[in-house]
Amino acid sequence: MTGIRAALGKDIMRELGSSQPTAVELEILRILWDLGPSPVRDIHARLYQAKGTNYSTTVKMLAVMLNKGLLKRNEQATPHRYRAALTRKQAGKSYLSELIEKVYDGSSMSLVLQALTTGKATRQDIAEVRKLLDDMEGQL
Amino acid sequence: MTGIRAALGKDIMRELGSSQPTAVELEILRILWDLGPSPVRDIHARLYQAKGTNYSTTVKMLAVMLNKGLLKRNEQATPHRYRAALTRKQAGKSYLSELIEKVYDGSSMSLVLQALTTGKATRQDIAEVRKLLDDMEGQL
DNA sequence: GATTCATAGCGAAAGGTTTCGCTGTGACGG
DNA sequence: CCGTCACAGCGAAACCTTTCGCTATGAATC
């Protein structure tokens, strides 16, 4: 089943040689995806709950991420409000492409098949996937 | 201006989970999945090609990975032969679960839908997925 | 036996991330 | 005013991963 190749630019980003969301960074992104634009307090509250780390640490991480371009913030408001610079969907796509490329050897279908068997699907879910398949087939 | 894409770059895989293989580690695993059990020389040849790093570095990484249990080796043979302790499939599953959990918020279907639209599928591929869906539905 | 060569490994440096102590600033209540 | 408090940020320590210089060992070669 190697018929399918990810149609995506492999390591475009690696070429640009920059940094990426690391462990804690991803955790913060998730919080922001969840909460929407938020002040440090709120972000910290969540992070603290999950990891028990210090307030300063949260502030610092936000600064680092802001610097990397992973976050944006509104400095007009007080306290400043931080928000993710990319959507969950965009991030997902990046991770997914990388995963397909590096582990599934470029075959997105291998991944799909595995993912399907990995989670529990409802009838609705299945129907939705079928619908998408129909659309895709229609476009061939 | 450090774009989002740039910021997402480097080694996404590694960041998904602390329990997961790191950047270089994954690279080495891929080499072993590809070559099968191999002596350091061969692994290094590939790694050098990709990254230009020193022979000692390769040896060290293998030692580290061996220590972490990511690799096994046959010490009977000379030179020793290293092999991956997990299959590509197992690793894939591990990353996938992590990805679903952390980015797709536990919804494997979200990921499947996105993955489907991310790659290009042939009629055969689609048929295969349909078949799987039928099976799954049958089990509900 | 001495020299050379491939193999194996150690320990520490280099480089990146995550952590936090401590400082500065402005708003607010007494 | 003055002390207190929330907000913001810096710099350096603590911690991993990755890199490599250097050493050790044994087999093959001179």
Side-chain angles (χ1 to χ4, degrees):
Chain A
M1 220 195 32
T2 44
I4 299 178
R5 300 265 128 195
L8 288 138
K10 359 161 96 181
D11 276 58
I12 300 156
M13 306 181 260
R14 177 187 305 273
E15 250 89 298
L16 299 181
S18 285
S19 44
Q20 79 287 354
T22 63
V24 186
E25 288 173 359
L26 180 57
E27 207 146 350
I28 289 176
L29 284 177
R30 295 178 65 203
I31 291 171
L32 286 173
W33 287 331
D34 203 24
L35 298 182
S38 312
V40 181
R41 278 293 149 200
D42 296 0
I43 299 169
H44 175 63
R46 286 280 195 107
L47 204 56
Y48 180 79
Q49 207 178 338
K51 316 210 327 156
T53 50
N54 200 292
Y55 181 82
S56 298
T57 303
T58 303
V59 174
K60 180 61 160 190
M61 285 312 302
L62 293 177
V64 167
M65 292 174 74
L66 192 64
N67 194 51
K68 285 186 182 177
L70 285 170
L71 301 184
K72 309 221 163 175
R73 78 172 167 193
N74 177 352
E75 303 189 9
Q76 255 56 47
T78 299
H80 299 174
R81 290 181 161 278
Y82 289 80
R83 66 181 193 282
L86 68 164
T87 64
R88 187 190 287 262
K89 195 161 188 167
Q90 288 172 316
K93 191 143 191 160
S94 291
Y95 282 110
L96 205 45
S97 301
E98 191 87 5
L99 182 57
I100 290 170
E101 164 80 18
K102 295 213 161 165
V103 181
Y104 288 89
D105 215 27
S107 165
S108 59
M109 277 300 147
S110 298
L111 176 140
V112 167
L113 289 175
Q114 178 137 49
L116 278 174
T117 55
T118 285
K120 51 218 174 258
T122 64
R123 262 176 228 291
Q124 264 107 5
D125 291 330
I126 293 177
E128 197 168 351
V129 175
R130 277 225 181 79
K131 190 158 177 292
L132 182 58
L133 290 177
D134 289 344
D135 290 349
M136 292 177 69
E137 202 162 45
Q139 306 222 326
L140 281 182
Chain B
M1 169 74 88
T2 330
I4 293 162
R5 310 218 103 215
L8 256 180
K10 218 161 79 179
D11 251 299
I12 278 163
M13 299 290 88
R14 156 176 161 29
E15 311 308 337
L16 280 176
S18 36
S19 56
Q20 311 289 16
T22 64
V24 185
E25 288 171 0
L26 179 58
E27 208 145 351
I28 289 175
L29 284 178
R30 294 180 67 204
I31 291 171
L32 286 173
W33 286 332
D34 204 24
L35 298 182
S38 313
V40 181
R41 281 291 151 201
D42 295 359
I43 299 169
H44 175 62
R46 285 278 196 109
L47 204 56
Y48 180 79
Q49 206 178 339
K51 317 209 328 157
T53 49
N54 200 292
Y55 181 82
S56 297
T57 303
T58 302
V59 174
K60 181 60 162 188
M61 285 312 302
L62 293 177
V64 168
M65 292 174 73
L66 192 63
N67 195 50
K68 285 186 182 175
L70 284 170
L71 302 184
K72 310 220 164 175
R73 80 173 166 193
N74 177 352
E75 304 188 7
Q76 255 56 47
T78 300
H80 300 173
R81 292 183 161 276
Y82 289 81
R83 66 180 194 282
L86 36 46
T87 64
R88 186 190 286 263
K89 195 161 190 167
Q90 288 173 317
K93 189 145 193 160
S94 177
Y95 280 119
L96 204 45
S97 302
E98 196 87 17
L99 183 57
I100 289 170
E101 162 79 19
K102 296 208 167 167
V103 180
Y104 289 89
D105 215 27
S107 163
S108 58
M109 280 302 141
S110 301
L111 177 141
V112 168
L113 289 175
Q114 177 136 50
L116 279 174
T117 56
T118 285
K120 282 188 175 137
T122 63
R123 265 177 225 288
Q124 278 88 0
D125 292 326
I126 292 177
E128 196 165 351
V129 175
R130 278 224 180 83
K131 190 160 176 295
L132 181 58
L133 290 178
D134 290 344
D135 289 351
M136 292 176 69
E137 202 162 44
Q139 307 222 325
L140 280 183

